[in-house]
Amino acid sequence: MSSRTPIRSIFENKTLGENFTVKGWIRSVRKSKKFSFIVINDGTCQWNLQAIVDMDTPNYEQVSSLLLDSAISMTGTLVESRGKQPVEMQAKSVEIISATDDTYPLQKKATSLEFLREQAHLRARTQTFGAVFRVRHALAMATHKFFSDKGFYYLNSPIISAVDGEGAGEMFKVSTMDLAKVPVKEGKADHTDDYFGKEVSLCVTGQLEGECYAMALGSIYTFGPTFRAENSNTTRHLSEFWMIEPEVAFADLEEIADLAADYIKYLIDYALKECPHELEFLATREGAPEGLLEMLSHVKDSKFIRITYTEAVEILSKSGKKFEFPCTWGAELQTEHERFLTEEHFKLPVIVTDYPKEFKAFYMKQNDDGKTVRAMDVLVPGIGEIIGGSQREDNLEKLEARMDHDGMDKSGYWWYMDLRRYGSVPHAGFGLGFERAIMYITGMSNIRDVIPFPRTPKNCDF
Ligand code: 4AD
Ligand code: MG
């Protein structure tokens, strides 16, 4: 195979008069009498390259009748463009690598996001999804750079886990037992002869294992897939999503809240610098939130608001706004409440802290008031909760009391409790939902459109 020049580098260097070979997929063909315009994209950047193919090119007839997403290789020289694009190619030869026919499911128009979800294997070839997934890559790189530069170690926490790290019971079981013949003991599935000899599940978090390593390496972060069998069919929930979970020894909630704000700002800044063309495209696409780029620039330079849960409830009850769910102290904040706070009241990201313990996880540090825990949620406009975190309960007695109160079987958590027995220190961490962060920065409104192959209740194609 002859080498190819990425379209990205052609546009970055714009060396007129030079010879190039580009390979990619056809975005459009416009045929006129003496020549045709062929526009291709090779996935390396948001830009398409336009080429002029003259009618004396040997395979002109075949080439000029190619359909969308046919694959071609073109060789030619770079010339100044007569049209809108900065440069274009004067093609000397075009090789057809493979031609699509009229059964190709994606056509130039009428490709709604809903339709494209059914064509998830092809949708990355559209401009919108190309942009989203290049931004996704940039945000992953930004994550590693942000934490690594701060001295955090990247930890690969396990995917298969013997404990419920959130204590919420929303786990996918992992088993090799024949589902038609599951042995039953005392009314429950008996896993004695199962692969692991006990009941295990896909992880809902890497936090508990992350805490073990924070107690040794000081600061760690995980970045991996997370599985939740919650039956939430919303635009913000996936059954399989990616989470970044930093965990810091000797840190309290304030420090981790600062870290969370710095991290989000860093992600925005990185995306604006690395993917300006993608973000410009996404900001002007049909259905994009108004003023996406202005919002991102604004947030990048703003201080995040900090309020306690108690203050949040006060603001909500004094707001005079009619909510579907009433907001009283002790009740969970619903998405409508979260969005009111961040979108209407403050118009900025908001960090809410010190929630009632009843609806927060067992591992969170208990406040002296006996009612609240050192939890935080970071809320952003358009999304609601993007980060959940807390200072951890480092006192063994208090942790055990809470686990007993929640009716948890402590036996599987012996190693987690050991952290409180040996060299226990104050520590804190959080989890950022990677897809929610991508939604926030790209302005995409459905979480299914920012992960390559979404898994949601009753949906696991591809
Ligand atoms: O608030 P969550 O459940 O917190 C934890 O899992 C903690 N163990 C984190 C920690 O302290 N280390 O989840 C964290 C974030 C949420 O704020 C949200 O952004 C995302 O993960 N998230 C989901 N994203 C997509 N689909 C789902 N079903 C999600 N559930 C949570
Ligand atoms: Mg949460």
Side-chain angles (χ1 to χ4, degrees):
M1 293 286 263
S2 62
S3 68
R4 66 176 177 122
T5 304
I7 291 179
R8 181 185 180 125
S9 78
I10 290 183
F11 277 101
E12 279 171 358
N13 304 323
K14 298 194 194 81
T15 34
L16 295 175
E18 208 160 297
N19 243 316
F20 292 106
T21 296
V22 291
K23 298 182 183 184
W25 295 270
I26 289 190
R27 283 284 155 87
S28 69
V29 177
R30 263 184 304 135
K31 198 171 176 179
S32 67
K33 266 191 200 143
K34 296 201 168 112
F35 57 88
S36 290
F37 287 116
I38 295 192
V39 176
I40 68 164
N41 188 280
D42 67 356
T44 56
C45 63
Q46 198 62 29
W47 296 299
N48 298 323
L49 180 70
Q50 172 167 292
I52 303 146
V53 182
D54 286 329
M55 64 178 299
D56 52 16
T57 311
N59 51 358
Y60 182 73
E61 272 317 307
Q62 289 122 294
V63 167
S64 60
S65 51
L66 284 170
L67 300 175
L68 183 69
D69 278 334
S70 296
I72 59 169
S73 170
M74 291 194 289
T75 302
T77 41
L78 204 62
V79 296
E80 235 166 281
S81 171
R82 283 155 272 184
K84 276 180 279 176
Q85 39 289 119
V87 287
E88 60 193 20
M89 176 181 266
Q90 178 66 53
K92 291 195 185 108
S93 65
V94 182
E95 182 202 331
I96 301 171
I97 300 172
S98 73
T100 52
D101 62 23
D102 57 11
T103 64
Y104 184 58
L106 307 193
Q107 291 310 326
K108 194 102 185 82
K109 50 184 166 29
T111 41
S112 68
L113 295 174
E114 289 77 11
F115 172 72
L116 288 171
R117 260 169 240 148
E118 294 165 15
Q119 305 290 331
H121 58 309
L122 301 172
R123 67 178 180 172
R125 301 181 192 183
T126 64
Q127 268 188 305
T128 300
F129 286 93
V132 167
F133 288 101
R134 278 188 295 274
V135 173
R136 186 177 169 115
H137 163 80
L139 295 178
M141 292 298 122
T143 293
H144 287 297
K145 187 157 169 45
F146 175 79
F147 286 111
S148 184
D149 285 356
K150 283 190 182 299
F152 285 61
Y153 292 105
Y154 175 34
L155 182 80
N156 299 120
S157 52
I159 309 277
I160 298 175
S161 178
V163 298
D164 180 355
E166 293 297 319
E170 292 167 332
M171 309 192 73
F172 290 103
K173 297 203 174 91
V174 178
S175 168
T176 52
M177 293 198 291
D178 180 350
L179 289 183
K181 291 184 247 161
V182 174
V184 176
K185 198 168 144 191
E186 289 161 14
K188 281 180 162 176
D190 180 5
H191 291 271
T192 317
D193 294 326
D194 200 353
Y195 189 88
F196 292 106
K198 58 164 123 171
E199 187 179 313
V200 300
S201 309
L202 296 179
C203 70
V204 289
T205 174
Q207 176 197 320
L208 273 50
E209 290 87 354
E211 283 184 50
C212 302
Y213 275 76
M215 292 298 111
L217 302 179
S219 304
I220 62 94
Y221 68 105
T222 70
F223 185 174
T226 310
F227 307 87
R228 299 226 175 146
E230 53 191 335
N231 200 6
S232 303
N233 228 327
T234 79
T235 54
R236 304 172 316 122
H237 287 89
L238 291 165
S239 314
E240 176 182 300
F241 63 99
W242 286 64
M243 186 154 59
I244 293 106
E245 296 186 276
E247 190 71 34
V248 188
F250 310 106
D252 60 12
L253 190 70
E254 275 69 37
E255 281 175 68
I256 219 78
D258 286 341
L259 183 72
D262 287 351
Y263 175 35
I264 292 178
K265 290 183 193 184
Y266 188 91
L267 290 179
I268 295 175
D269 194 49
Y270 194 95
L272 286 169
K273 283 194 183 120
E274 291 296 314
C275 304
H277 308 291
E278 280 77 7
L279 291 177
E280 265 160 43
F281 174 83
L282 291 166
T284 49
R285 130 200 109 78
E286 211 185 291
E290 218 174 293
L292 177 68
L293 296 181
E294 293 73 15
M295 181 281 286
L296 292 175
S297 309
H298 175 57
V299 167
K300 172 169 83 69
D301 303 320
S302 307
K303 207 166 151 35
F304 286 23
I305 307 290
R306 302 227 186 145
I307 53 170
T308 63
Y309 166 86
T310 305
E311 288 164 340
V313 171
E314 236 168 66
I315 293 171
L316 290 162
S317 36
K318 284 191 190 144
S319 71
K321 192 158 165 114
K322 282 262 172 302
F323 295 109
E324 192 189 332
F325 295 90
C327 181
T328 50
W329 203 98
E332 252 185 275
L333 294 186
Q334 302 293 328
T335 302
E336 55 173 344
H337 304 137
E338 296 177 341
R339 294 187 64 164
F340 173 81
L341 291 169
T342 179
E343 280 163 32
E344 292 180 46
H345 189 78
F346 291 112
K347 298 187 170 68
L348 270 177
V350 182
I351 306 182
V352 183
T353 63
D354 300 286
Y355 283 82
K357 61 179 180 201
E358 273 69 32
F359 52 82
K360 287 292 180 188
F362 68 95
Y363 51 68
M364 296 188 178
K365 183 154 189 70
Q366 297 160 33
N367 279 321
D368 292 337
D369 63 9
K371 293 190 291 192
T372 58
V373 286
R374 295 248 73 195
M376 71 163 183
D377 275 4
V378 182
L379 316 175
V380 296
I383 311 280
E385 179 191 337
I386 193 167
I387 282 180
S390 66
Q391 189 167 332
R392 318 306 187 189
E393 185 52 79
D394 49 54
N395 176 299
L396 181 60
E397 260 170 56
K398 287 189 176 168
L399 179 67
E400 286 194 293
R402 173 69 197 264
M403 292 171 88
D404 289 336
H405 174 268
D406 287 3
M408 292 170 68
D409 174 6
K410 292 191 302 240
S411 61
Y413 297 83
W414 61 273
W415 51 275
Y416 187 67
M417 295 190 296
D418 261 2
L419 300 179
R420 278 78 185 160
R421 279 191 191 101
Y422 310 117
S424 184
V425 302
H427 61 290
F430 65 77
L432 169 96
F434 192 45
E435 286 75 22
R436 293 208 186 157
I438 302 168
M439 287 174 77
Y440 180 49
I441 291 173
T442 59
M444 296 301 283
S445 57
N446 193 317
I447 198 162
R448 292 166 183 78
D449 298 333
V450 299
I451 188 160
F453 296 100
R455 275 85 178 88
T456 51
K458 300 273 181 291
N459 169 33
C460 189
D461 292 331
F462 305 100

